[in-house]
Amino acid sequence: MPSEFLNTSEVLEAILETIDEGIHVIDPKGQTIFYNGVAANHDGMKRSEVLGKPLLEAFPSLNHKSSTLLRVIKSEKPIYNYSQSYVNAHGRIIETLNTTLPIYVDGVLIGAIEIAKDYSSLKQLSERLADLESSLKTIKSPEKKANGNVGLYSFTEILTSDTGFKGLISQGKKAARSSSSVLVYGESGVGKELFVQSIHQDSNRRKEPFIAQNCAALPENLLESLLFGTAKGSYTGAMDRQGLFELANGGTLFLDELQSMPIDLQAKLLRVLEDGFIRRLGGTKSVQVNVRIMAAMNIDPKKAVSENRLRADLFYRLNVLSYELPPLRERTDDIALLTEHFISIFNSKLGLSIKGIDEKAKVFFHEYHWPGNVRELKHTIEFMMNHTEKDVLNLDDLPQFLKKRSPSSEKILPLREAMIEMETKLITEALLQTKGNVFQASKLLQIPRQTLQYKIKKLI
């Protein structure tokens, strides 16, 4: 259709319909003036049941205080990343994560727009995880309880010939004799969780639970309820449920990517560290827990404090036993040792008999800076062993983005190819650092999540 026939509002509406997130717009009187199909799917409603109707008529369980849209109309202030639980007109419980913004035209408030993500399934999954942890915790047999941590790493499985890293392992073994909190930091892929698991396995808590939770994986309200548990009635559909602190009682709770935990929640964590008591979300009763907290960060904690991503008082509380794990590029002697180890592992898993890597590949492995550290080395070996036709790995077996970095490809690339190579490298490194989390990777790269998903599809 020629551009002169296009109506601006029609174009805007078409754009909002293509966005893969729920969009809900109300006017100052609280009446819905736009409601896209994604929002309808999230809310379990028909668009005709919401469009043109007062918000509280379509969603009778909400009120002027609990509705983020109506709160923004009243306060004229935005609300970011707020989790909302409500019942739709059909009695179905809806869970969304909302960002709600006031809309102005020429300085006059004309309405509010809400961008909503449906995290009902994510919440259900986290609750199932908590239920599973709870069922494992109820096993009374000491033998079975001891087997509850089968699969965790121990210090004997940390391979290194580096003197400095050996010193850290020695310190970690001493830390195992203590019940003090532990902070481990270093780049993604250096083995922080392996180190933490080893401390637990070497301690007198080894027969008790080891529970790990990534603090970047969940919205604030969901993370809080998962950690501290919920009291019945604390929000719509809430049940009495133990949190990870209670489930880890007697054992260890490992909090990965601690700097991603919201500041307010860090204050609650600090209180648990100080007095050993937790209170379920919406509850009034405090419960004492005996849990050893271990935390990990993929940035320097002092930098996190200076950027207000980590409370200073929490850092000082955790910094009693802290360990910085060195990146692989600073312990290059370990590259050959780990390469041999991973080849042995994948020979067994894949039913192969690869003898090793050739000299050119050894040189490349030694000189490459391994931004994804040990994890990247392991995945590279696995890729090569799945693709090789020979019994010795060589540069031709490398993944495509690494192959372009090998000595055999050192030539001036056309600008377009060089840009694609750099883009591929940055996306790969971001995904490695965030363990495949596209949303977190998009934040690192400072591009929209949808743009990153599109680029990933093009590169696959």
Side-chain angles (χ1 to χ4, degrees), residues 61-338:
S61 71
L62 293 174
N63 55 46
H64 284 84
K65 290 184 177 180
S66 60
S67 166
T68 44
L69 277 165
L70 294 177
R71 284 166 56 191
V72 167
I73 288 290
K74 183 178 181 180
S75 69
E76 299 190 23
K77 295 179 180 179
I79 299 173
Y80 296 99
N81 297 321
Y82 184 86
S83 59
Q84 191 169 33
S85 176
Y86 51 93
V87 178
N88 68 11
H90 305 295
R92 175 180 159 192
I93 297 173
I94 307 298
E95 311 273 356
T96 57
L97 183 69
N98 306 332
T99 289
T100 314
L101 310 167
I103 306 173
Y104 296 96
V105 172
D106 296 329
V108 178
L109 180 75
I110 64 162
I113 181 172
E114 186 159 89
I115 302 96
K117 302 175 188 290
D118 178 15
Y119 75 88
S120 299
S121 57
L122 178 60
K123 189 171 188 299
Q124 291 168 6
L125 183 61
S126 71
E127 289 179 347
R128 286 175 189 167
L129 172 62
D131 288 341
L132 177 60
E133 296 280 9
S134 181
S135 66
L136 291 174
K137 184 82 167 85
T138 58
I139 297 174
K140 302 298 183 183
S141 164
E143 292 76 22
K144 289 186 178 180
K145 186 179 283 188
N147 290 338
N149 290 321
V150 168
L152 296 186
Y153 289 99
S154 63
F155 283 117
T156 58
E157 296 172 87
I158 301 180
L159 301 180
T160 183
S161 58
D162 181 79
T163 303
F165 204 6
K166 286 181 177 178
L168 284 174
I169 292 172
S170 178
Q171 292 176 34
K173 289 179 178 178
K174 293 176 182 177
R177 302 198 294 262
S178 166
S179 285
S180 298
S181 303
V182 171
L183 176 63
V184 180
Y185 60 100
E187 295 177 8
S188 292
V190 295
K192 296 186 291 294
E193 184 164 357
L194 185 153
F195 192 82
V196 164
Q197 287 183 10
S198 299
I199 293 176
H200 173 85
Q201 288 290 72
D202 222 40
S203 74
N204 58 9
R205 295 174 182 257
R206 69 180 70 87
K207 293 184 179 181
E208 301 298 334
F210 176 93
I211 296 178
Q213 176 59 47
N214 188 305
C215 298
L218 299 171
E220 178 177 357
N221 286 26
L222 188 51
L223 179 60
E224 182 177 1
S225 65
L226 185 62
L227 289 174
F228 293 95
T230 56
K232 187 174 182 179
S234 56
Y235 57 84
T236 306
M239 303 295 291
D240 281 319
R241 186 184 301 276
Q242 289 184 312
L244 298 186
F245 276 104
E246 290 180 76
L247 295 172
N249 195 28
T252 299
L253 179 59
F254 171 53
L255 300 173
D256 199 6
E257 296 193 59
L258 180 66
Q259 77 280 359
S260 297
M261 179 182 285
I263 292 292
D264 290 345
L265 198 50
Q266 290 182 27
K268 295 184 179 181
L269 172 62
L270 180 61
R271 284 200 294 272
V272 178
L273 287 169
E274 294 289 355
D275 62 25
F277 284 88
I278 63 102
R279 182 180 298 171
R280 293 184 185 180
L281 195 63
T284 57
K285 180 182 177 182
S286 293
V287 179
Q288 187 169 21
V289 290
N290 172 21
V291 177
R292 186 178 195 182
I293 301 297
M294 299 194 197
M297 301 175 60
N298 53 24
I299 64 171
D300 189 302
K302 291 181 180 177
K303 180 181 179 184
V305 170
S306 68
E307 294 176 352
N308 294 319
R309 298 169 67 185
L310 179 69
R311 290 178 61 103
D313 49 6
L314 179 58
F315 166 60
Y316 296 129
R317 182 65 177 76
L318 290 170
N319 200 41
V320 178
L321 295 174
S322 65
Y323 307 95
E324 181 180 11
L325 304 191
L328 187 57
R329 63 181 173 274
E330 292 181 7
R331 45 189 180 101
T332 52
D333 288 346
D334 284 349
I335 294 173
L337 176 66
L338 291 168

Side-chain angles (χ1 to χ4, degrees), residues 5-28:
F5 293 107
L6 291 176
N7 180 285
T8 302
S9 63
E10 290 176 348
V11 172
L12 178 59
E13 184 170 338
I15 291 171
L16 293 176
E17 281 294 342
T18 61
I19 294 174
D20 65 348
E21 291 173 348
I23 307 292
H24 192 165
V25 184
I26 63 171
D27 64 17

Side-chain angles (χ1 to χ4, degrees), residues 324-357:
E324 181 180 11
L325 304 191
L328 187 57
R329 63 181 173 274
E330 292 181 7
R331 45 189 180 101
T332 52
D333 288 346
D334 284 349
I335 294 173
L337 176 66
L338 291 168
T339 297
E340 183 179 337
H341 172 65
F342 292 140
I343 288 176
S344 175
I345 286 176
F346 290 118
N347 270 335
S348 178
K349 283 187 177 181
L350 303 174
L352 300 174
S353 54
I354 302 299
K355 297 176 181 177
I357 63 175

